[in-house]
Every structure is written in C-alpha cells, then in structure tokens.
Amino acid sequence: MLHSALALCLLFITVSSSLALVIRKEKKPPQTLSRGWGDDITWVQTYEEGLFHAQKSNKPLMVIHHLEDCQYSQALKKVFAQNEEIQDMAQNNFIMLNLMHETTDKNLSPDGQYVPRIMFVDPSLTVRADITGRYSNRLYTYEPQDLPILIENMKRALRLIQSEL
C-alpha cells in the first residue's frame, strides 16, 4: 500500500511539473525594451545602436520619446500597440527605439523636449524634421486619434528612402 501511494505521488509530481513546463513555454514573456509599445517588435536599446542598424539595414529609425507617468504617452502607447498596421510596419520596415530620456542629438528635439514625440531618422542618418504631425505648437506629437496621420508618416518615411537615397 505504501509502495503504491509513493508511486502515485511520484507520478503526480512528474505530470504536474511537465504540465508546468508546457504552460510556461506557451506564455511568451514581454520584451522589456518594448515597454508596452509592441512585444513582437525588435527594439534597439540606444540611439547609437539604432543609427548603426538603420544605416546597415537601409531602414529608417523611428524614435518614440515618452514617459511612463505621462497620461498622453500612455494613451498613445495603448493604441499604438493595438494597431495591426503600425505593428506590422514597425516590425518589418523600421528600426525601432523608444526612449524615456533625451538623447545628446539636439536634432531630435527641433521644437523642444516634450512627450510623446515621434521622430524619424533615415539611413543616411538625417533626422527627418519634415515629417510632422498635425499640431503647429508640437510638431512631432501624436494623440490616439492621430494614428492615421502616424501611419501615413511611417509610409512617407519609407517612400523618402526610395526616392532620395
């Protein structure tokens, strides 16, 4: 009887640990560099790394400046992460960087340091200050309802590479 109970207990432990491994493999941990902007996107860690990869891959760099405690950044992040077209373009056609601090490149803040702010840098390492949102007082900011403008600006960044480089 004791032998059967021990065997049954051992069997139970083996099955439950195997099941735990299967469950753990199915749940994909979030990529920490995404910070909630899109876990399926490959994110670079620094501006310098982004510039290197943009030049090497001939893809534009998209730089998202944001803050965790900014309600406007959080609102944009939520719709950005849920929009399939943006996620697909970001994953396949851009080098992606999101920053919660300013860089030393003052070209990334031509009209001031505010968040959220999205800038594009082409593979020749030129900051595309000509790709702007709809606001005249904060040229590079986007709100959740501005996603169509952001999508068009992402497409424009891609077109400019083909026509200018």
Side-chain angles (χ1 to χ4, degrees), residues 124-151:
S124 72
L125 308 186
T126 302
V127 175
R128 299 307 308 229
D130 56 332
I131 302 178
T132 62
R134 71 180 182 136
Y135 304 101
S136 60
N137 61 335
R138 294 179 183 239
L139 294 173
Y140 309 100
T141 198
Y142 298 86
E143 293 183 355
Q145 66 269 21
D146 299 331
L147 282 194
I149 297 168
L150 179 56
I151 290 168

PDB file of all heavy atoms in Angstrom, residues 124-151:
ATOM      1  N   SER A 124      20.634  57.530 -44.063  1.00  0.00           N
ATOM      2  CA  SER A 124      21.811  58.388 -44.236  1.00  0.00           C
ATOM      3  C   SER A 124      22.084  59.160 -42.940  1.00  0.00           C
ATOM      4  O   SER A 124      22.956  60.010 -42.897  1.00  0.00           O
ATOM      5  CB  SER A 124      21.599  59.360 -45.404  1.00  0.00           C
ATOM      6  OG  SER A 124      20.657  60.359 -45.054  1.00  0.00           O
ATOM      7  N   LEU A 125      21.317  58.836 -41.887  1.00  0.00           N
ATOM      8  CA  LEU A 125      21.430  59.406 -40.542  1.00  0.00           C
ATOM      9  C   LEU A 125      20.948  60.860 -40.467  1.00  0.00           C
ATOM     10  O   LEU A 125      21.372  61.625 -39.604  1.00  0.00           O
ATOM     11  CB  LEU A 125      22.846  59.250 -39.987  1.00  0.00           C
ATOM     12  CG  LEU A 125      23.425  57.829 -40.038  1.00  0.00           C
ATOM     13  CD1 LEU A 125      24.769  57.768 -39.340  1.00  0.00           C
ATOM     14  CD2 LEU A 125      22.451  56.830 -39.423  1.00  0.00           C
ATOM     15  N   THR A 126      20.042  61.212 -41.381  1.00  0.00           N
ATOM     16  CA  THR A 126      19.436  62.534 -41.370  1.00  0.00           C
ATOM     17  C   THR A 126      18.128  62.474 -40.591  1.00  0.00           C
ATOM     18  O   THR A 126      17.259  61.660 -40.898  1.00  0.00           O
ATOM     19  CB  THR A 126      19.142  63.008 -42.813  1.00  0.00           C
ATOM     20  OG1 THR A 126      20.361  63.020 -43.546  1.00  0.00           O
ATOM     21  CG2 THR A 126      18.506  64.383 -42.824  1.00  0.00           C
ATOM     22  N   VAL A 127      18.005  63.336 -39.580  1.00  0.00           N
ATOM     23  CA  VAL A 127      16.751  63.438 -38.837  1.00  0.00           C
ATOM     24  C   VAL A 127      15.740  64.109 -39.759  1.00  0.00           C
ATOM     25  O   VAL A 127      15.987  65.198 -40.268  1.00  0.00           O
ATOM     26  CB  VAL A 127      16.920  64.238 -37.533  1.00  0.00           C
ATOM     27  CG1 VAL A 127      15.573  64.421 -36.842  1.00  0.00           C
ATOM     28  CG2 VAL A 127      17.900  63.542 -36.604  1.00  0.00           C
ATOM     29  N   ARG A 128      14.612  63.447 -39.979  1.00  0.00           N
ATOM     30  CA  ARG A 128      13.594  63.955 -40.901  1.00  0.00           C
ATOM     31  C   ARG A 128      12.646  64.894 -40.171  1.00  0.00           C
ATOM     32  O   ARG A 128      11.542  64.530 -39.802  1.00  0.00           O
ATOM     33  CB  ARG A 128      12.824  62.802 -41.550  1.00  0.00           C
ATOM     34  CG  ARG A 128      13.668  61.853 -42.382  1.00  0.00           C
ATOM     35  CD  ARG A 128      14.516  62.539 -43.439  1.00  0.00           C
ATOM     36  NE  ARG A 128      13.777  63.429 -44.291  1.00  0.00           N
ATOM     37  CZ  ARG A 128      13.842  63.433 -45.609  1.00  0.00           C
ATOM     38  NH1 ARG A 128      14.626  62.573 -46.238  1.00  0.00           N
ATOM     39  NH2 ARG A 128      13.141  64.294 -46.301  1.00  0.00           N
ATOM     40  N   ALA A 129      13.091  66.137 -39.998  1.00  0.00           N
ATOM     41  CA  ALA A 129      12.274  67.146 -39.329  1.00  0.00           C
ATOM     42  C   ALA A 129      11.086  67.550 -40.187  1.00  0.00           C
ATOM     43  O   ALA A 129      10.168  68.219 -39.709  1.00  0.00           O
ATOM     44  CB  ALA A 129      13.130  68.365 -38.984  1.00  0.00           C
ATOM     45  N   ASP A 130      11.085  67.128 -41.452  1.00  0.00           N
ATOM     46  CA  ASP A 130       9.981  67.458 -42.356  1.00  0.00           C
ATOM     47  C   ASP A 130       8.799  66.500 -42.223  1.00  0.00           C
ATOM     48  O   ASP A 130       7.749  66.729 -42.816  1.00  0.00           O
ATOM     49  CB  ASP A 130      10.476  67.489 -43.810  1.00  0.00           C
ATOM     50  CG  ASP A 130      11.139  66.183 -44.237  1.00  0.00           C
ATOM     51  OD1 ASP A 130      11.695  65.469 -43.376  1.00  0.00           O
ATOM     52  OD2 ASP A 130      11.111  65.869 -45.444  1.00  0.00           O
ATOM     53  N   ILE A 131       8.928  65.446 -41.432  1.00  0.00           N
ATOM     54  CA  ILE A 131       7.818  64.512 -41.206  1.00  0.00           C
ATOM     55  C   ILE A 131       7.183  64.888 -39.872  1.00  0.00           C
ATOM     56  O   ILE A 131       7.724  64.579 -38.810  1.00  0.00           O
ATOM     57  CB  ILE A 131       8.301  63.048 -41.219  1.00  0.00           C
ATOM     58  CG1 ILE A 131       8.968  62.724 -42.555  1.00  0.00           C
ATOM     59  CG2 ILE A 131       7.136  62.107 -40.945  1.00  0.00           C
ATOM     60  CD1 ILE A 131       9.524  61.316 -42.648  1.00  0.00           C
ATOM     61  N   THR A 132       6.051  65.573 -39.954  1.00  0.00           N
ATOM     62  CA  THR A 132       5.425  66.140 -38.760  1.00  0.00           C
ATOM     63  C   THR A 132       3.994  65.643 -38.579  1.00  0.00           C
ATOM     64  O   THR A 132       3.372  65.146 -39.518  1.00  0.00           O
ATOM     65  CB  THR A 132       5.403  67.678 -38.842  1.00  0.00           C
ATOM     66  OG1 THR A 132       4.615  68.065 -39.972  1.00  0.00           O
ATOM     67  CG2 THR A 132       6.807  68.247 -38.959  1.00  0.00           C
ATOM     68  N   GLY A 133       3.510  65.828 -37.364  1.00  0.00           N
ATOM     69  CA  GLY A 133       2.116  65.526 -37.055  1.00  0.00           C
ATOM     70  C   GLY A 133       1.233  66.706 -37.420  1.00  0.00           C
ATOM     71  O   GLY A 133       1.599  67.538 -38.245  1.00  0.00           O
ATOM     72  N   ARG A 134       0.090  66.827 -36.756  1.00  0.00           N
ATOM     73  CA  ARG A 134      -0.874  67.859 -37.139  1.00  0.00           C
ATOM     74  C   ARG A 134      -0.859  69.107 -36.273  1.00  0.00           C
ATOM     75  O   ARG A 134      -1.587  70.050 -36.535  1.00  0.00           O
ATOM     76  CB  ARG A 134      -2.280  67.271 -37.182  1.00  0.00           C
ATOM     77  CG  ARG A 134      -2.861  66.940 -35.843  1.00  0.00           C
ATOM     78  CD  ARG A 134      -4.266  66.363 -36.002  1.00  0.00           C
ATOM     79  NE  ARG A 134      -4.835  66.090 -34.700  1.00  0.00           N
ATOM     80  CZ  ARG A 134      -6.060  66.389 -34.361  1.00  0.00           C
ATOM     81  NH1 ARG A 134      -6.856  66.939 -35.235  1.00  0.00           N
ATOM     82  NH2 ARG A 134      -6.503  66.096 -33.166  1.00  0.00           N
ATOM     83  N   TYR A 135      -0.043  69.137 -35.239  1.00  0.00           N
ATOM     84  CA  TYR A 135      -0.073  70.262 -34.306  1.00  0.00           C
ATOM     85  C   TYR A 135       1.049  71.247 -34.595  1.00  0.00           C
ATOM     86  O   TYR A 135       2.211  70.855 -34.692  1.00  0.00           O
ATOM     87  CB  TYR A 135       0.022  69.756 -32.864  1.00  0.00           C
ATOM     88  CG  TYR A 135      -1.075  68.759 -32.552  1.00  0.00           C
ATOM     89  CD1 TYR A 135      -0.813  67.397 -32.554  1.00  0.00           C
ATOM     90  CD2 TYR A 135      -2.373  69.190 -32.292  1.00  0.00           C
ATOM     91  CE1 TYR A 135      -1.830  66.476 -32.301  1.00  0.00           C
ATOM     92  CE2 TYR A 135      -3.384  68.279 -32.035  1.00  0.00           C
ATOM     93  CZ  TYR A 135      -3.112  66.929 -32.046  1.00  0.00           C
ATOM     94  OH  TYR A 135      -4.105  66.027 -31.807  1.00  0.00           O
ATOM     95  N   SER A 136       0.710  72.535 -34.682  1.00  0.00           N
ATOM     96  CA  SER A 136       1.721  73.537 -35.004  1.00  0.00           C
ATOM     97  C   SER A 136       2.583  73.901 -33.795  1.00  0.00           C
ATOM     98  O   SER A 136       3.704  74.368 -33.957  1.00  0.00           O
ATOM     99  CB  SER A 136       1.055  74.800 -35.559  1.00  0.00           C
ATOM    100  OG  SER A 136       0.163  75.337 -34.600  1.00  0.00           O
ATOM    101  N   ASN A 137       2.078  73.673 -32.578  1.00  0.00           N
ATOM    102  CA  ASN A 137       2.864  74.024 -31.397  1.00  0.00           C
ATOM    103  C   ASN A 137       3.732  72.866 -30.903  1.00  0.00           C
ATOM    104  O   ASN A 137       4.648  73.074 -30.121  1.00  0.00           O
ATOM    105  CB  ASN A 137       1.946  74.513 -30.267  1.00  0.00           C
ATOM    106  CG  ASN A 137       0.957  73.453 -29.822  1.00  0.00           C
ATOM    107  OD1 ASN A 137       0.611  72.559 -30.590  1.00  0.00           O
ATOM    108  ND2 ASN A 137       0.493  73.559 -28.600  1.00  0.00           N
ATOM    109  N   ARG A 138       3.451  71.666 -31.327  1.00  0.00           N
ATOM    110  CA  ARG A 138       4.267  70.471 -31.022  1.00  0.00           C
ATOM    111  C   ARG A 138       4.249  69.601 -32.268  1.00  0.00           C
ATOM    112  O   ARG A 138       3.412  68.707 -32.400  1.00  0.00           O
ATOM    113  CB  ARG A 138       3.722  69.737 -29.806  1.00  0.00           C
ATOM    114  CG  ARG A 138       3.850  70.576 -28.545  1.00  0.00           C
ATOM    115  CD  ARG A 138       3.299  69.882 -27.334  1.00  0.00           C
ATOM    116  NE  ARG A 138       3.383  70.781 -26.192  1.00  0.00           N
ATOM    117  CZ  ARG A 138       4.055  70.505 -25.096  1.00  0.00           C
ATOM    118  NH1 ARG A 138       4.675  69.366 -24.959  1.00  0.00           N
ATOM    119  NH2 ARG A 138       4.096  71.373 -24.115  1.00  0.00           N
ATOM    120  N   LEU A 139       5.188  69.871 -33.149  1.00  0.00           N
ATOM    121  CA  LEU A 139       5.156  69.295 -34.492  1.00  0.00           C
ATOM    122  C   LEU A 139       5.236  67.768 -34.535  1.00  0.00           C
ATOM    123  O   LEU A 139       4.753  67.160 -35.484  1.00  0.00           O
ATOM    124  CB  LEU A 139       6.305  69.880 -35.328  1.00  0.00           C
ATOM    125  CG  LEU A 139       6.201  71.375 -35.632  1.00  0.00           C
ATOM    126  CD1 LEU A 139       7.470  71.863 -36.309  1.00  0.00           C
ATOM    127  CD2 LEU A 139       4.981  71.658 -36.489  1.00  0.00           C
ATOM    128  N   TYR A 140       5.848  67.159 -33.538  1.00  0.00           N
ATOM    129  CA  TYR A 140       6.135  65.722 -33.628  1.00  0.00           C
ATOM    130  C   TYR A 140       5.338  64.895 -32.616  1.00  0.00           C
ATOM    131  O   TYR A 140       5.688  63.751 -32.336  1.00  0.00           O
ATOM    132  CB  TYR A 140       7.640  65.495 -33.468  1.00  0.00           C
ATOM    133  CG  TYR A 140       8.405  66.381 -34.416  1.00  0.00           C
ATOM    134  CD1 TYR A 140       8.982  67.573 -33.984  1.00  0.00           C
ATOM    135  CD2 TYR A 140       8.478  66.072 -35.768  1.00  0.00           C
ATOM    136  CE1 TYR A 140       9.628  68.423 -34.869  1.00  0.00           C
ATOM    137  CE2 TYR A 140       9.118  66.915 -36.658  1.00  0.00           C
ATOM    138  CZ  TYR A 140       9.694  68.083 -36.213  1.00  0.00           C
ATOM    139  OH  TYR A 140      10.314  68.920 -37.091  1.00  0.00           O
ATOM    140  N   THR A 141       4.284  65.479 -32.093  1.00  0.00           N
ATOM    141  CA  THR A 141       3.462  64.734 -31.148  1.00  0.00           C
ATOM    142  C   THR A 141       2.270  64.120 -31.881  1.00  0.00           C
ATOM    143  O   THR A 141       1.849  64.607 -32.935  1.00  0.00           O
ATOM    144  CB  THR A 141       2.989  65.624 -29.977  1.00  0.00           C
ATOM    145  OG1 THR A 141       2.565  64.793 -28.911  1.00  0.00           O
ATOM    146  CG2 THR A 141       1.854  66.538 -30.375  1.00  0.00           C
ATOM    147  N   TYR A 142       1.774  63.052 -31.325  1.00  0.00           N
ATOM    148  CA  TYR A 142       0.597  62.370 -31.856  1.00  0.00           C
ATOM    149  C   TYR A 142      -0.302  62.012 -30.682  1.00  0.00           C
ATOM    150  O   TYR A 142       0.182  61.654 -29.614  1.00  0.00           O
ATOM    151  CB  TYR A 142       0.988  61.088 -32.605  1.00  0.00           C
ATOM    152  CG  TYR A 142       1.855  61.338 -33.808  1.00  0.00           C
ATOM    153  CD1 TYR A 142       3.240  61.440 -33.686  1.00  0.00           C
ATOM    154  CD2 TYR A 142       1.302  61.487 -35.070  1.00  0.00           C
ATOM    155  CE1 TYR A 142       4.039  61.677 -34.786  1.00  0.00           C
ATOM    156  CE2 TYR A 142       2.099  61.724 -36.183  1.00  0.00           C
ATOM    157  CZ  TYR A 142       3.466  61.815 -36.029  1.00  0.00           C
ATOM    158  OH  TYR A 142       4.253  62.059 -37.126  1.00  0.00           O
ATOM    159  N   GLU A 143      -1.590  62.097 -30.909  1.00  0.00           N
ATOM    160  CA  GLU A 143      -2.575  61.664 -29.931  1.00  0.00           C
ATOM    161  C   GLU A 143      -3.234  60.402 -30.472  1.00  0.00           C
ATOM    162  O   GLU A 143      -3.088  60.086 -31.659  1.00  0.00           O
ATOM    163  CB  GLU A 143      -3.598  62.781 -29.692  1.00  0.00           C
ATOM    164  CG  GLU A 143      -2.990  63.997 -29.013  1.00  0.00           C
ATOM    165  CD  GLU A 143      -4.012  65.077 -28.695  1.00  0.00           C
ATOM    166  OE1 GLU A 143      -5.198  64.939 -29.090  1.00  0.00           O
ATOM    167  OE2 GLU A 143      -3.621  66.058 -28.051  1.00  0.00           O
ATOM    168  N   PRO A 144      -3.967  59.661 -29.638  1.00  0.00           N
ATOM    169  CA  PRO A 144      -4.587  58.418 -30.111  1.00  0.00           C
ATOM    170  C   PRO A 144      -5.402  58.580 -31.400  1.00  0.00           C
ATOM    171  O   PRO A 144      -5.353  57.717 -32.275  1.00  0.00           O
ATOM    172  CB  PRO A 144      -5.466  57.994 -28.936  1.00  0.00           C
ATOM    173  CG  PRO A 144      -4.736  58.516 -27.743  1.00  0.00           C
ATOM    174  CD  PRO A 144      -4.178  59.846 -28.196  1.00  0.00           C
ATOM    175  N   GLN A 145      -6.124  59.679 -31.536  1.00  0.00           N
ATOM    176  CA  GLN A 145      -6.930  59.871 -32.748  1.00  0.00           C
ATOM    177  C   GLN A 145      -6.086  60.231 -33.970  1.00  0.00           C
ATOM    178  O   GLN A 145      -6.611  60.298 -35.081  1.00  0.00           O
ATOM    179  CB  GLN A 145      -8.019  60.934 -32.518  1.00  0.00           C
ATOM    180  CG  GLN A 145      -7.505  62.331 -32.281  1.00  0.00           C
ATOM    181  CD  GLN A 145      -7.271  62.646 -30.816  1.00  0.00           C
ATOM    182  OE1 GLN A 145      -7.121  61.757 -29.989  1.00  0.00           O
ATOM    183  NE2 GLN A 145      -7.225  63.933 -30.483  1.00  0.00           N
ATOM    184  N   ASP A 146      -4.781  60.432 -33.795  1.00  0.00           N
ATOM    185  CA  ASP A 146      -3.883  60.788 -34.896  1.00  0.00           C
ATOM    186  C   ASP A 146      -3.221  59.582 -35.553  1.00  0.00           C
ATOM    187  O   ASP A 146      -2.308  59.750 -36.364  1.00  0.00           O
ATOM    188  CB  ASP A 146      -2.782  61.741 -34.403  1.00  0.00           C
ATOM    189  CG  ASP A 146      -3.328  63.034 -33.853  1.00  0.00           C
ATOM    190  OD1 ASP A 146      -4.406  63.469 -34.305  1.00  0.00           O
ATOM    191  OD2 ASP A 146      -2.676  63.609 -32.952  1.00  0.00           O
ATOM    192  N   LEU A 147      -3.642  58.375 -35.223  1.00  0.00           N
ATOM    193  CA  LEU A 147      -2.991  57.188 -35.797  1.00  0.00           C
ATOM    194  C   LEU A 147      -2.991  57.186 -37.325  1.00  0.00           C
ATOM    195  O   LEU A 147      -1.982  56.807 -37.920  1.00  0.00           O
ATOM    196  CB  LEU A 147      -3.627  55.901 -35.270  1.00  0.00           C
ATOM    197  CG  LEU A 147      -3.212  55.479 -33.864  1.00  0.00           C
ATOM    198  CD1 LEU A 147      -3.617  54.042 -33.592  1.00  0.00           C
ATOM    199  CD2 LEU A 147      -1.749  55.672 -33.591  1.00  0.00           C
ATOM    200  N   PRO A 148      -4.062  57.612 -38.001  1.00  0.00           N
ATOM    201  CA  PRO A 148      -3.979  57.661 -39.471  1.00  0.00           C
ATOM    202  C   PRO A 148      -2.850  58.570 -39.960  1.00  0.00           C
ATOM    203  O   PRO A 148      -2.185  58.265 -40.951  1.00  0.00           O
ATOM    204  CB  PRO A 148      -5.357  58.202 -39.894  1.00  0.00           C
ATOM    205  CG  PRO A 148      -6.265  57.806 -38.772  1.00  0.00           C
ATOM    206  CD  PRO A 148      -5.418  57.918 -37.523  1.00  0.00           C
ATOM    207  N   ILE A 149      -2.606  59.664 -39.260  1.00  0.00           N
ATOM    208  CA  ILE A 149      -1.511  60.566 -39.631  1.00  0.00           C
ATOM    209  C   ILE A 149      -0.167  59.886 -39.375  1.00  0.00           C
ATOM    210  O   ILE A 149       0.746  59.965 -40.206  1.00  0.00           O
ATOM    211  CB  ILE A 149      -1.604  61.898 -38.849  1.00  0.00           C
ATOM    212  CG1 ILE A 149      -2.895  62.623 -39.205  1.00  0.00           C
ATOM    213  CG2 ILE A 149      -0.387  62.786 -39.107  1.00  0.00           C
ATOM    214  CD1 ILE A 149      -3.238  63.789 -38.295  1.00  0.00           C
ATOM    215  N   LEU A 150      -0.049  59.197 -38.251  1.00  0.00           N
ATOM    216  CA  LEU A 150       1.190  58.485 -37.949  1.00  0.00           C
ATOM    217  C   LEU A 150       1.452  57.396 -38.980  1.00  0.00           C
ATOM    218  O   LEU A 150       2.579  57.236 -39.456  1.00  0.00           O
ATOM    219  CB  LEU A 150       1.143  57.885 -36.539  1.00  0.00           C
ATOM    220  CG  LEU A 150       2.375  57.081 -36.116  1.00  0.00           C
ATOM    221  CD1 LEU A 150       3.653  57.917 -36.223  1.00  0.00           C
ATOM    222  CD2 LEU A 150       2.197  56.546 -34.713  1.00  0.00           C
ATOM    223  N   ILE A 151       0.425  56.660 -39.358  1.00  0.00           N
ATOM    224  CA  ILE A 151       0.582  55.609 -40.383  1.00  0.00           C
ATOM    225  C   ILE A 151       1.041  56.223 -41.691  1.00  0.00           C
ATOM    226  O   ILE A 151       1.967  55.716 -42.339  1.00  0.00           O
ATOM    227  CB  ILE A 151      -0.738  54.828 -40.563  1.00  0.00           C
ATOM    228  CG1 ILE A 151      -1.017  53.975 -39.316  1.00  0.00           C
ATOM    229  CG2 ILE A 151      -0.705  53.972 -41.824  1.00  0.00           C
ATOM    230  CD1 ILE A 151      -2.414  53.380 -39.255  1.00  0.00           C
TER     231      ILE A 151
END
